[in-house]
Amino acid sequence: MTFIATGMTDIGTRRVSNQDAIAWHVSPDGTRALGIVADGMGGYKGGEIASQVAVNVITQLLAPLVNQSTPDAQQVQAVREAIDQANEQIQALREEDAALGNMGTTVVMSWVQGDNALIAHIGDSRCYYLNGDELLLKTRDDSVVQNMIDDGSITEAEAPRMPFRNVLTQALGSTDQAMPSLTRVRLERGDRLILCSDGLTDAVPEADWPPVMNTGQPLRQQAEALVSTSLDNQAADNVSVVLILKES
């Protein structure tokens, strides 16, 4: 069982800075992989710092474990601890500098080994599972709009028109205790995981993703195609994507 991964981030067409951060890591033998996307908030400086802290902390703590076989229970515990530590570091920086008082970040990550992927997220950055041309969302947005969709107050079609559509119910750094949602996905040969910020989901309809990616081309070109299409569609936010492919 082998995996490959790649990623790409772009400022988009309207922002003056890129507050997204991404990372990916594949074990030396190719049998395990880690991908992370974080979308910062809290102003020009704060958003960039929060997302990079989250990605750095999680990568530093988990990459060594990804290089070895890790039991499922230990895997879950390690992910929770890494997210907790990222949350604590962002909170500490908020307390040290008043200019960073409102900063926080989303985070979505996946740790894959064997035929199993552990997905964790906080906020509205997402993880999708792509099998052939079938694209499935594997995370639920931590947002006011998603809560309203779930309770029937609005429909999914109405969500993009809501003025508060970007208001989150949870973000890393904004609460004393980080509470990530975790799920597992079984992967088969040729399956892909797509981790992304909302700059991509807002700019490119999900139905367009499989033909845009053209999964017969190299993985890097698939990532580039998604980002390029979002820019062609005048992406209003930073756009980030990390792809993980199960090759065999």
Side-chain angles (χ1 to χ4, degrees):
M1 298 179 184
T2 59
F3 297 92
I4 58 173
T6 190
M8 186 174 180
T9 185
D10 193 280
I11 194 172
T13 63
R14 303 183 190 177
R15 298 293 189 181
V16 297
S17 66
N18 191 346
Q19 298 181 42
D20 288 359
I22 65 173
W24 63 93
H25 173 77
V26 178
S27 64
D29 63 3
T31 62
R32 293 167 295 276
L34 175 71
I36 311 167
V37 171
D39 180 355
M41 63 201 74
Y44 166 74
K45 182 180 179 183
E48 290 184 354
I49 293 174
S51 62
Q52 197 62 62
V53 166
V55 166
N56 288 349
V57 170
I58 294 171
T59 302
Q60 289 167 7
L61 292 176
L62 297 187
L65 297 178
V66 173
N67 288 340
Q68 60 192 32
S69 182
T70 305
D72 287 354
Q74 183 181 344
Q75 193 182 28
V76 169
Q77 180 181 356
V79 166
R80 291 190 183 279
E81 289 177 353
I83 290 175
D84 280 343
Q85 289 201 32
N87 188 63
E88 291 173 3
Q89 289 201 24
I90 294 169
Q91 284 192 310
L93 291 171
R94 283 168 55 127
E95 293 172 2
E96 292 172 6
D97 187 345
L100 305 178
N102 294 320
M103 79 173 181
T105 186
T106 71
V107 66
V108 61
M109 57 154 292
S110 182
W111 177 353
V112 298
Q113 58 180 9
D115 59 2
N116 186 274
L118 175 62
I119 300 164
H121 92 285
I122 289 177
D124 62 357
S125 294
R126 295 178 174 181
C127 179
Y128 290 82
Y129 164 77
L130 181 62
N131 174 276
D133 288 334
E134 183 181 18
L135 183 72
L136 298 174
L137 176 61
K138 305 306 295 186
T139 52
R140 177 195 177 277
D141 292 351
D142 294 320
S143 68
V144 172
V145 162
Q146 187 61 54
N147 286 348
M148 295 179 70
I149 293 172
D150 291 348
D151 67 23
S153 300
I154 63 172
T155 66
E156 288 192 20
E158 292 172 318
R161 299 192 295 273
M162 294 295 105
F164 46 82
R165 62 186 178 278
N166 295 322
V167 177
L168 302 180
T169 56
Q170 187 177 198
L172 204 63
S174 64
T175 181
D176 288 340
Q177 186 173 8
M179 299 291 290
S181 299
L182 286 84
T183 188
R184 288 193 180 272
V185 176
R186 186 177 179 84
L187 300 178
E188 300 177 354
R189 181 179 179 181
D191 289 349
R192 290 158 178 77
L193 292 177
I194 306 168
L195 310 176
C196 63
S197 62
D198 61 354
L200 177 63
T201 52
D202 289 348
V204 185
E206 294 173 6
D208 293 349
W209 292 19
V212 163
M213 291 173 69
N214 181 12
T215 53
Q217 64 183 346
L219 194 66
R220 179 67 184 180
Q221 292 183 24
Q222 295 175 41
E224 291 173 349
L226 285 172
V227 174
S228 177
T229 302
S230 73
L231 299 180
D232 290 343
N233 292 350
Q234 300 300 304
D237 202 350
N238 310 142
V239 181
S240 295
V241 60
V242 169
L243 303 181
I244 300 175
L245 165 66
K246 184 176 181 182
E247 279 195 306
S248 62

